[in-house]
Amino acid sequence: MSETTSDGPRPVGPASPTATAGPVSPGPSPELAARAAALDAADPLADRRKAFVLDDTVYLDGNSLGALPAAVPGRLAEVVAREWGELRIRSWTESGWWTAPERVGDRVAPLVGAAPGQVVVGDSTSVNIFKALVAAVRITEGREAPANAPVRDEILVDAATFPTDGYIAASAARMTGRTVRPVPMAELADAVGPRTAVVLANHVDYRTGELHDLPGITAAAHRAGALAVWDLCHSAGALPVRLDEDGADLAVGCGYKYLNGGPGAPAFLYVRAEHQGAFDSPLPGWNSHAEPFAMAAAYAPAEGAVRGRVGTPDILSMLALETALEVWDGVDIEQVREKSLALTDFFLECVAESVPAGRVGSLTPAERERRGSQVALRCPGAERVMGELIRRGVVGDFRRPDVLRFGFTPLYTSFGDTLRAASVLAEVLAEVLAEHPAGG
Ligand SMILES: *Cc1c(COP(=O)(O)O)cnc(C)c1O
């Protein structure tokens, strides 16, 4: 899929197109250090950090694997020892295991702007994309259409999408007799037409951190008679999502990124209430049956979000996610957004001040309303630069070909961390620059 974004990388820092050769003494200015301290002192979310297991590493990879919430180890130990070890099979009813997918779904729901009963937790994001896409095509297929209307034979997909979404869309299209058309996000709203069945789009681009127009694209899809399926992997838990209010039809998202559910945590699937009756799952397992214990030969779907289930849920991971979600109790997601933007603004400012001129470009939009909760910088030798950053205690990640990703998790990232990350980046870049003055 396309490597381009709606706008190319912009230089960060003094607008000199050529790098100044020679090592630059980076070190944060006292002014920035004072600002970081003041911002941390005034941060209403500062106390959330103690809800996580952290050390003095600056962890800026919560957009790939969220940090461990402190309550999880104890809860998992109890689940294993008591619920599994002692109650054994009784736990399916007595410990609430059987209903966990819907119960945990209802805990995720407020974070994505969904009223209860529309979110179910289970399976991976990839699997949920498959369920959502095929079900969405089937919903459009089942609708009355005017006599001369063209067949809705295409699925539009964000051209810069995370690969799994594209692969699954291609297979879903093949199975349903549709074709996939990759479209750059900036053109998606205009590309939806009478032949579009479904639009599959990312709320935030995993690579650039660009926030896309969920309400606008959803409305455009609806005007054309199509459905919109949203991938919330990089927005759920990072910024306000308003699925109900913005009319999203179906959505999926990740449990292990900003929701901190742990490696391979189950994902979630949102099926808007008005579509639940027509939601015809391509994976109708016994857990989504109206009467699973009737062990009936014929399939009859359950009502509601349960319809999105497949087979026996992954209880240990599911309950780890449930406990991880407690860190959101009493947290106002608008405050999370405010802090996220303040963190990314501050990071960009610190980078501009301390990184040698012309050494990095930013792929992340400068406009706050188009920015998710990560900053993606581009530079030559990015893989090596990230390796050095990690060695010095600043953990982000590298994405090919030349992207440094820094994820800002407002519940546990401080402004002090942010300044330190920028300073270490400046230090590393100055050293790499000294070795390769031409920037190779
Ligand atoms: C992280 C991510 C996924 C992950 O899918 P898995 O099935 O959990 O591996 C999918 N889509 C996007 C956009 C992601 O960022």
Side-chain angles (χ1 to χ4, degrees):
M1 301 247 160
S2 165
E3 283 286 343
T4 58
T5 50
S6 46
D7 44 12
R10 295 174 320 281
V12 176
S16 153
T18 49
T20 324
V24 178
S25 159
S29 71
E31 195 267 333
L32 282 178
R35 287 252 317 282
L39 286 163
D40 280 328
D43 172 13
L45 296 172
D47 76 312
R48 290 286 79 198
R49 187 181 174 103
K50 17 180 232 312
F52 292 87
V53 176
L54 291 162
D55 50 26
D56 60 4
T57 299
V58 177
Y59 190 64
L60 301 180
D61 220 353
N63 53 341
S64 201
L65 177 66
L68 171 65
V72 169
R75 173 66 180 135
L76 272 188
E78 174 194 325
V79 170
V80 171
R82 168 79 185 144
E83 298 184 8
W84 181 12
E86 294 172 15
L87 295 177
R88 291 175 287 266
I89 198 138
R90 293 166 57 190
S91 277
W92 282 108
T93 47
E94 292 174 34
S95 304
W97 287 357
W98 185 262
T99 51
E102 301 82 71
R103 184 178 71 243
V104 184
D106 279 342
R107 282 207 81 133
V108 172
L111 291 171
V112 294
Q118 301 173 100
V119 178
V120 70
V121 167
D123 309 311
S124 63
T125 301
S126 301
V127 171
N128 283 308
I129 292 168
F130 177 73
K131 292 182 225 170
L133 268 184
V134 174
V137 169
R138 289 175 177 175
I139 290 169
T140 61
E141 219 168 36
R143 284 174 167 173
E144 291 280 333
N148 300 324
V151 179
R152 293 190 180 274
D153 59 359
E154 64 176 19
I155 298 174
L156 302 190
V157 178
D158 170 1
T161 193
F162 187 90
T164 208
D165 304 53
Y167 305 156
I168 301 266
S171 176
R174 203 142 42 87
M175 283 181 48
T176 56
R178 265 69 185 171
T179 50
V180 165
R181 180 151 68 98
V183 180
M185 283 300 287
E187 296 160 28
L188 199 50
D190 291 332
V192 193
R195 287 180 51 184
T196 311
V198 182
V199 173
L200 171 65
N202 292 286
H203 196 192
V204 172
D205 186 290
Y206 78 100
R207 221 169 122 267
T208 64
E210 179 170 359
L211 172 63
H212 295 299
D213 179 9
L214 186 152
I217 292 168
T218 302
H222 291 171
R223 277 194 302 276
L227 297 192
V229 177
W230 285 94
D231 184 326
L232 309 177
C233 281
H234 288 270
S235 60
L239 49 96
V241 181
R242 303 182 180 89
L243 293 177
D244 285 352
E245 187 182 324
D246 292 336
D249 298 292
L250 295 113
V252 301
C254 196
Y256 53 80
K257 292 172 182 164
Y258 294 96
L259 299 185
N260 313 301
F268 64 87
L269 170 68
Y270 163 87
V271 182
R272 190 177 192 78
E274 70 183 77
H275 293 313
Q276 288 175 348
F279 181 88
D280 178 3
S281 175
L283 294 171
W286 73 294
N287 273 227
S288 65
H289 195 281
E291 286 186 78
F293 293 97
M295 303 292 170
Y299 181 72
E303 295 301 319
V306 180
R307 218 177 255 216
R309 287 175 64 162
V310 183
T312 307
D314 186 342
I315 290 297
L316 298 181
S317 291
M318 178 90 60
L319 299 184
L321 172 61
E322 180 172 41
T323 303
L325 290 167
E326 290 171 6
V327 301
W328 296 97
D329 289 348
V331 170
D332 173 0
I333 192 77
E334 298 293 342
Q335 250 176 16
V336 170
R337 176 64 169 159
E338 263 316 296
K339 182 175 174 189
S340 157
L341 289 172
L343 286 167
T344 51
D345 272 344
F346 189 58
F347 183 66
L348 286 167
E349 193 187 331
C350 294
V351 168
E353 178 153 321
S354 46
V355 165
R359 200 57 185 134
V360 290
S362 174
L363 282 174
T364 302
E367 305 92 302
R368 297 180 119 213
E369 60 281 6
R370 288 179 53 218
R371 201 190 302 155
S373 201
Q374 81 178 39
V375 172
L377 301 178
R378 251 177 141 167
C379 69
E383 186 164 21
R384 203 175 133 229
V385 168
M386 184 51 74
E388 244 340 276
L389 280 169
I390 292 170
R391 218 175 55 75
R392 297 175 198 201
V394 174
V395 178
D397 58 31
F398 161 73
R399 288 291 178 270
R400 280 183 216 183
D402 57 358
V403 178
L404 304 169
R405 289 197 320 169
F406 300 96
F408 291 83
T409 313
L411 296 190
Y412 56 78
T413 304
S414 69
F415 292 89
D417 289 339
T418 303
L419 175 59
R420 199 174 124 208
S423 306
V424 175
L425 174 64
E427 198 178 281
V428 169
L429 286 170
E431 285 175 22
V432 173
L433 182 64
E435 291 163 29
H436 304 283

